[in-house]
């Protein structure tokens, strides 16, 4: 356990939106395991793909030496969602954090520059590089010193764009900040960041590990902003419940990792055949989602929650909403009240007055209506 107060449930089975505890109680997963089980738990197509791959082979060689069908299938499905963007090369790793590390190295390698900028409120992972980009002083201070030449821009402020200069290798931004409370970067600011990065030759790296792959009602969250990043970083939902991360860039840039030095980034388990088989199946199912329904659910839920007197603010889109109450104690009371109704809610690490809503993208209308009603009942109880 990594906190003194874990949820502590013992889950013995999970299917669709539902998890079963050892006492046989059914729990509605309102957070999809923090944005992972986006097609619900144990989607049949993902299980089938895993079984088929299990019978063919597991790990056969470190990443990149052999050609492997599951890697090819996952890569071509993923890249087909990015046609026309110039993002045509993907590097698979084992987690979101590792994908961030890979993208940081890529940015320094491509530009020959050292400065990397993050944005206030960002969370990118817990290894030294990813932690350096993240801004929670509470979680950083105990591990100082972190990576040199990494600093942070204030969130959403046009006036500081001049801090991005010809010294800057990259700016890392979550298109919609997850841990900061589901906080979308304002549209004009994201465009201004894109413009400034292009002006000075810095890479714009979008971390869509949490907000991407369907959460907002678009395959990629940046698609609602009409801009394209230089590097896109994915994780969490990508493996349909299996561990995988990916950073994606143009082939011309990605190829810098294989020369001078060759093996500029290496991994034993990255692109694991089981994880890639699951990712390919996940991406195939993603194409069949009802995008309009996901967007409308977000609007319906935002409206219903905003009208509740206990709710201070609602942010986000689709199945990716952050809700503020009047303080952390109220949120704790709500999590407990929802749990009594069989609904799992979860906090943010950096926004204790808020909680997250990220139900599976393929939950039925009946399930979503029922879950919203339980949530509203729990809010009535704690207000
Ligand atoms: C936006 C974002 N980036 C990076 C990470 C790190 O991903 P992982 O925990 O899979 O390594 C997370 C995890 O929550 C995240 O939300």
């Amino acid at each position: 356990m990594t906190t003194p107060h874990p949820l502590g449930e013992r889950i013995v089975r999970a299917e669709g939106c539902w998890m079963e505890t050892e006492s046989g109680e059914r729990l509605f997963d309102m957070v999809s395991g923090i944005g992972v089980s986006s097609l619900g738990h144990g989607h049949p197509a993902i299980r089938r793909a895993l079984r088929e791959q299990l019978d063919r082979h597991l790990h056969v060689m470190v990443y990149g030496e052999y050609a492997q069908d599951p890697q090819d299938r996952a890569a071509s499905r993923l890249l087909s969602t990015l046609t026309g963007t110039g993002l045509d090369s993907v590097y698979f790793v084992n987690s979101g954090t590792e994908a961030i590390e890979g993208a940081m190295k890529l940015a320094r390698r491509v530009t020959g520059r050292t400065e990397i900028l993050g944005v206030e409120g960002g969370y990118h992972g817990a290894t030294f590089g990813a932690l350096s980009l993240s801004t929670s002083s509470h979680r950083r201070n105990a591990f100082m010193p972190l990576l040199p030449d990494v600093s942070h821009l204030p969130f959403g402020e046009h006036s500081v764009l001049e801090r991005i200069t010809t010294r800057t290798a990259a700016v890392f931004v979550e298109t919609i900040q997850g841990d900061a409370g589901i906080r979308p970067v304002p549209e004009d600011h994201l465009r201004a960041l894109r413009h400034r990065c292009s002006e000075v030759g810095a890479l714009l790296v979008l971390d869509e590990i949490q907000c991407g792959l369907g959460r907002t009602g678009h395959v990629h969250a940046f698609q609602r902003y009409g801009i394209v990043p230089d590097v896109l970083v994915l994780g969490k939902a990508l493996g349909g419940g299996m561990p995988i991360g990916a950073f994606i860039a143009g082939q011309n840039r990605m190829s810098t990792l294989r020369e001078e030095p060759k093996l500029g980034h290496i991994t034993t388990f990255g692109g694991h055949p089981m994880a890639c088989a699951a990712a390919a199946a996940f991406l195939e199912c993603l194409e069949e989602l009802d995008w309009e329904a996901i967007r409308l659910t977000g609007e319906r839920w935002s409206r219903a929650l905003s009208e509740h007197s206990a709710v201070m603010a609602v942010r986000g889109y689709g199945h990716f909403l952050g809700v503020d109450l009047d303080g952390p104690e109220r949120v704790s009371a709500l999590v407990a009240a929802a749990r009594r109704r069989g609904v799992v809610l979860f906090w943010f690490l950096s926004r204790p007055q808020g909680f997250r809503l990220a139900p599976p993208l393929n939950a039925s209308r009946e399930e979503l209506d029922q879950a919203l009603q339980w949530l509203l009942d729990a809010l009535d109880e704690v207000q």
Side-chain angles (χ1 to χ4, degrees), residues 218-353:
H218 298 265
V219 176
H220 303 292
F222 71 79
Q223 286 167 329
R224 40 173 321 122
Y225 293 88
I227 59 135
V228 174
D230 297 301
V231 183
L232 177 66
V233 189
L234 300 173
K236 284 193 182 280
L238 179 59
M242 294 293 283
I244 190 169
F247 57 103
I248 306 161
Q251 178 64 51
N252 55 335
R253 289 177 168 142
M254 198 70 95
S255 62
T256 61
L257 291 180
R258 69 169 174 235
E259 285 148 22
E260 295 174 50
K262 66 181 181 182
L263 301 174
H265 195 63
I266 46 177
T267 161
T268 298
F269 287 125
H272 191 281
M274 294 293 277
C276 281
F282 166 79
L283 290 163
E284 189 176 345
C285 297
L286 196 68
E287 284 167 19
E288 287 150 25
L289 286 177
D290 184 344
W291 299 107
E292 184 64 7
I294 293 168
R295 293 194 281 264
L296 289 175
T297 301
E299 288 170 22
R300 216 170 47 247
W301 282 36
S302 297
R303 231 180 359 258
L305 289 162
S306 303
E307 281 165 9
H308 197 283
S309 53
V311 170
M312 303 289 124
V314 184
R315 293 169 299 276
Y317 307 101
H319 288 212
F320 194 50
L321 301 176
V323 184
D324 284 351
L325 304 183
D326 64 0
E329 292 75 24
R330 191 85 62 193
V331 172
S332 292
L334 178 72
V335 171
R339 175 63 188 81
R340 286 193 287 278
R341 289 166 172 80
V343 176
V344 175
L345 295 181
F346 209 69
W347 301 258
F348 299 108
L349 296 178
S350 307
R351 196 173 179 91
Q353 74 274 35

Side-chain angles (χ1 to χ4, degrees), residues 122-138:
Y123 177 75
H124 302 278
T127 52
F128 274 104
L131 186 62
S132 306
L133 269 180
S134 309
T135 57
S136 161
S137 51
H138 178 61

Side-chain angles (χ1 to χ4, degrees), residues 34 95-98 100 123-125 174 178-179 207 209-210 236:
I34 314 294
S95 67
T97 303
E98 263 184 77
I100 290 290
Y123 177 75
H124 302 278
E174 288 168 83
D179 187 48
D207 177 345
I209 289 167
Q210 193 170 157
K236 284 193 182 280

